[in-house]
Amino acid sequence: MMTVEAENVAVDPIYQVPKRLLDKASAPTPYVDSFEKYQELWKQSVEDPDTFFSNLSKELLSWSKPFTTVRSGGFEQGDVAWFLEGELNASYNCVDRHALANPNKIAIIHEGDEPNSVRNITYGELLQEVSRLANVLKSLGVRKGDNIAIYMPMIPEAVVALLACARIGAVHSVVFAGFSSDSLRDRIVDASAKVVLTADEGKRGGKAIATKRIVDQALLTAPSVESVLVFRRTGADVPWTNGRDLWWHDEMAKARPYCAPEPMNAEDPLFLLYTSGSTGTPKGVMHTTGGYLLGAGATVKYIFDYHPDDIFACMADIGWITGHTYIVYGPLTLGATTLLFESTPTYPTPSRFWEVVQQHKVTQFYTAPTAIRALRRLGDKWLDGYDLSTLRVIGSVGEPINPEAWEWYNEMVGKKNCAVVDTYWQTETGSIIVTPLPGAIATKPGSATFPFFGIKPVILDPTSGKELEGNDVTGVLAVAQPWPSMARTVYNNHHRYLDTYLRPYKGYYFTGDGASRDKDGYIWIRGRVDDVINVSGHRLSTAEIESALILHHSVAEAAVIGGHDDLTGQCIHAFTTLKPNIEDSEGLEKELALQVRKVIGPFATPKAIYCVNDLPKTRSGKIMRRILRKIVNNEADQLGDTSTLADPSVVDMLIEKVKSSQ
Ligand code: WTA
């Protein structure tokens, strides 16, 4: 199946596994080193998941009490559970067992915002720090099952914060530090978080971020919070609330550097992570301890072909699922050295990534298509002279990668000598679900290729919900059976969990993405089919942005859609109608963009805002976003049937408006 007929080559080039990976002299032997071996393992994993995952969980995790049942429940009731009677602690698995065996091994390399500001933390030190913070949290009254909000820059203390929560069975909810105070407040309130862990300021790309001030603003209307623990990152003067705010270093100095890990049931929650869905309010996706940790460890081992001396660099932010799984839980479960990057790909120059790879001898490098596209556009010269020869596996995540960006990554970064893994997954899947395996799967630029172990992907007809069998089919992507690291619920809202993922197509987990399986069986992700937009790999719902706009006193109605953008994948276009007697002006459009920044965060700023007289609506008043999408993406000639519009003449007005703003 891996041989390509000559006539297809021009259409879909196939890249065989790079020779270097299979050559014992130049790389450790990949765990899965042939396509046949992959197929055999995958078959076992979906046909007999009990045996497969029981063995894998014993190999990769340390259990304080063994499980007897591997798996129960299913998609029908949304009661999936794995390793039911088993007990383990995620922080023990990520820290203690490695600290005991190898205390001087580096757990975290922190590459600070400024070049050459590096801090290394060994497993021995990590155990002490995590223990201390766990004791501090206990002294603040935090107990097993309490929710803790983490709003921190990309510093080692953020990793310590996650693991300290896990150690005492508190449930962390990390909020990406680019979110506004309103967004932070909503997440704190939804989870009734008791404590917030934060810093005085963040630093990114040479600029300071007023982290503590944002927290203070959020807490004006978040009554559940009793304490705020503040790490001193820059030493800036920050506002202080006596009785609530505490300095991290003061409390840590008082705490004992050992804390016994709390035994957790495999199904006890490990964390919440809020993510955007089709409707307005973000949902608190809940992951549990055993299954999630297994997914995290297994994917780092097999998809990144992690070997003991490797240096693993995932350039994501801890505030997103990619940071949770591939900076913290996955690499640390395996006892790896993980790199934490505080800066941006272009600070101080677009060579920064390559400087980092060279300096720290990175072996696995994981980033997003947006970064790859931006660096490609800035020119190849920024890679000149850098030694990237330690790299073996380079990964991409977060959005579809266009073949041009894939080819550039493969040639300029991988030097055609690395496995390129285009990894598809979601906050809800916990870990990667569709991906190449470095030593086993030949790749096609732009395709995430084949399912990971335990994943049985299906392509469904979006209307009938029937499985589209065989190859050369397009539809929506679903998964046919439960896997260990899937989310178990939406916090305090199991209905929403069922409605979003398990009810749209009965008996399946629905991803919300469109996908094709090509003639060779390769999976191609086509992007979201719901109202979620993906800007630079950041997931946003159109409804969330619309609500932010409507909060502005001038706005009557808003409709937001995703436009195509060469750099960011998608970008936000917002159409608004104004309240009577309000005049459209450039100033107002700017003000509305600011409004979205303020309510959600800078990364959600619309690329274009159009104040218009009317929106395209059906006679029953439903906004037809499809029409807006076509107009913005220069497909106004393919609008299709507009006769269902209450007033078809709005279309010309909209086309005119968009044209004049371009
Ligand atoms: C998209 C990020 C194409 C997809 C890990 C998914 C991708 C959403 C890929 C989840 C990929 C992620 N190819 N699309 N390799 N990876 N996506 O929850 O639309 O932030 O549903 O998780 O990103 O975004 P989330």
Side-chain angles (χ1 to χ4, degrees), residues 287-304:
H287 282 287
T288 57
T289 310
Y292 170 79
L293 212 56
L294 178 60
T299 48
V300 170
K301 174 171 173 179
Y302 289 104
I303 298 169
F304 292 95

Tab-separated table of all heavy atoms in Angstrom, residues 287-304:
chain	number	residue	atom	x	y	z
A	287	HIS	N	-10.711	16.318	32.107
A	287	HIS	CA	-9.914	15.108	31.892
A	287	HIS	C	-9.653	14.422	33.228
A	287	HIS	O	-9.497	15.082	34.257
A	287	HIS	CB	-8.597	15.441	31.194
A	287	HIS	CG	-8.773	15.669	29.726
A	287	HIS	ND1	-9.025	14.625	28.846
A	287	HIS	CD2	-8.789	16.796	28.989
A	287	HIS	CE1	-9.157	15.119	27.620
A	287	HIS	NE2	-9.027	16.429	27.677
A	288	THR	N	-9.587	13.106	33.170
A	288	THR	CA	-9.347	12.344	34.394
A	288	THR	C	-7.912	11.818	34.416
A	288	THR	O	-7.169	11.956	33.447
A	288	THR	CB	-10.365	11.208	34.532
A	288	THR	OG1	-10.282	10.393	33.368
A	288	THR	CG2	-11.778	11.758	34.674
A	289	THR	N	-7.544	11.205	35.516
A	289	THR	CA	-6.128	10.976	35.785
A	289	THR	C	-5.490	9.840	34.958
A	289	THR	O	-4.504	10.061	34.262
A	289	THR	CB	-5.936	10.689	37.296
A	289	THR	OG1	-6.604	11.718	38.029
A	289	THR	CG2	-4.472	10.676	37.680
A	290	GLY	N	-6.039	8.644	35.052
A	290	GLY	CA	-5.354	7.484	34.477
A	290	GLY	C	-5.317	7.504	32.962
A	290	GLY	O	-4.257	7.386	32.341
A	291	GLY	N	-6.481	7.632	32.353
A	291	GLY	CA	-6.576	7.573	30.892
A	291	GLY	C	-5.815	8.704	30.235
A	291	GLY	O	-5.093	8.502	29.251
A	292	TYR	N	-5.960	9.898	30.798
A	292	TYR	CA	-5.282	11.054	30.210
A	292	TYR	C	-3.767	10.866	30.245
A	292	TYR	O	-3.069	11.068	29.246
A	292	TYR	CB	-5.670	12.345	30.948
A	292	TYR	CG	-4.810	13.513	30.521
A	292	TYR	CD1	-5.079	14.177	29.325
A	292	TYR	CD2	-3.696	13.901	31.261
A	292	TYR	CE1	-4.266	15.219	28.894
A	292	TYR	CE2	-2.874	14.934	30.838
A	292	TYR	CZ	-3.163	15.592	29.653
A	292	TYR	OH	-2.350	16.613	29.215
A	293	LEU	N	-3.269	10.464	31.399
A	293	LEU	CA	-1.819	10.331	31.557
A	293	LEU	C	-1.265	9.250	30.624
A	293	LEU	O	-0.185	9.397	30.042
A	293	LEU	CB	-1.507	9.985	33.013
A	293	LEU	CG	-0.196	10.499	33.569
A	293	LEU	CD1	-0.089	12.006	33.427
A	293	LEU	CD2	-0.041	10.090	35.028
A	294	LEU	N	-2.048	8.201	30.460
A	294	LEU	CA	-1.607	7.147	29.543
A	294	LEU	C	-1.542	7.684	28.111
A	294	LEU	O	-0.556	7.454	27.404
A	294	LEU	CB	-2.559	5.942	29.624
A	294	LEU	CG	-2.198	4.805	28.670
A	294	LEU	CD1	-0.797	4.279	28.954
A	294	LEU	CD2	-3.224	3.678	28.759
A	295	GLY	N	-2.585	8.410	27.700
A	295	GLY	CA	-2.590	8.979	26.345
A	295	GLY	C	-1.407	9.912	26.147
A	295	GLY	O	-0.729	9.882	25.112
A	296	ALA	N	-1.124	10.738	27.162
A	296	ALA	CA	-0.036	11.712	27.064
A	296	ALA	C	1.308	10.977	26.907
A	296	ALA	O	2.089	11.265	25.997
A	296	ALA	CB	-0.029	12.611	28.298
A	297	GLY	N	1.553	10.009	27.783
A	297	GLY	CA	2.832	9.284	27.746
A	297	GLY	C	2.974	8.455	26.470
A	297	GLY	O	4.028	8.455	25.828
A	298	ALA	N	1.905	7.763	26.108
A	298	ALA	CA	1.986	6.848	24.952
A	298	ALA	C	2.248	7.616	23.666
A	298	ALA	O	3.019	7.176	22.807
A	298	ALA	CB	0.694	6.043	24.833
A	299	THR	N	1.622	8.786	23.525
A	299	THR	CA	1.810	9.528	22.275
A	299	THR	C	3.216	10.136	22.195
A	299	THR	O	3.806	10.193	21.118
A	299	THR	CB	0.732	10.623	22.122
A	299	THR	OG1	0.632	11.359	23.344
A	299	THR	CG2	-0.623	10.021	21.778
A	300	VAL	N	3.751	10.571	23.333
A	300	VAL	CA	5.130	11.083	23.292
A	300	VAL	C	6.080	9.945	22.920
A	300	VAL	O	6.988	10.101	22.106
A	300	VAL	CB	5.544	11.734	24.631
A	300	VAL	CG1	7.041	12.038	24.645
A	300	VAL	CG2	4.759	13.028	24.850
A	301	LYS	N	5.840	8.787	23.485
A	301	LYS	CA	6.715	7.651	23.178
A	301	LYS	C	6.641	7.267	21.692
A	301	LYS	O	7.666	7.182	21.028
A	301	LYS	CB	6.334	6.444	24.049
A	301	LYS	CG	7.119	5.202	23.668
A	301	LYS	CD	6.944	4.047	24.619
A	301	LYS	CE	7.639	2.826	24.011
A	301	LYS	NZ	7.552	1.644	24.843
A	302	TYR	N	5.440	7.038	21.196
A	302	TYR	CA	5.324	6.481	19.844
A	302	TYR	C	5.322	7.520	18.727
A	302	TYR	O	5.876	7.288	17.660
A	302	TYR	CB	4.073	5.614	19.746
A	302	TYR	CG	4.208	4.335	20.528
A	302	TYR	CD1	3.571	4.162	21.748
A	302	TYR	CD2	5.017	3.299	20.047
A	302	TYR	CE1	3.719	2.983	22.472
A	302	TYR	CE2	5.174	2.120	20.760
A	302	TYR	CZ	4.527	1.969	21.980
A	302	TYR	OH	4.689	0.806	22.683
A	303	ILE	N	4.654	8.662	18.968
A	303	ILE	CA	4.512	9.631	17.870
A	303	ILE	C	5.761	10.493	17.737
A	303	ILE	O	6.145	10.898	16.661
A	303	ILE	CB	3.243	10.486	18.065
A	303	ILE	CG1	2.017	9.569	18.036
A	303	ILE	CG2	3.145	11.563	16.990
A	303	ILE	CD1	0.723	10.216	18.471
A	304	PHE	N	6.409	10.748	18.877
A	304	PHE	CA	7.656	11.516	18.810
A	304	PHE	C	8.857	10.587	18.948
A	304	PHE	O	9.988	11.025	19.018
A	304	PHE	CB	7.656	12.612	19.880
A	304	PHE	CG	6.630	13.669	19.579
A	304	PHE	CD1	5.364	13.628	20.146
A	304	PHE	CD2	6.918	14.660	18.663
A	304	PHE	CE1	4.416	14.581	19.834
A	304	PHE	CE2	5.969	15.625	18.342
A	304	PHE	CZ	4.717	15.582	18.934
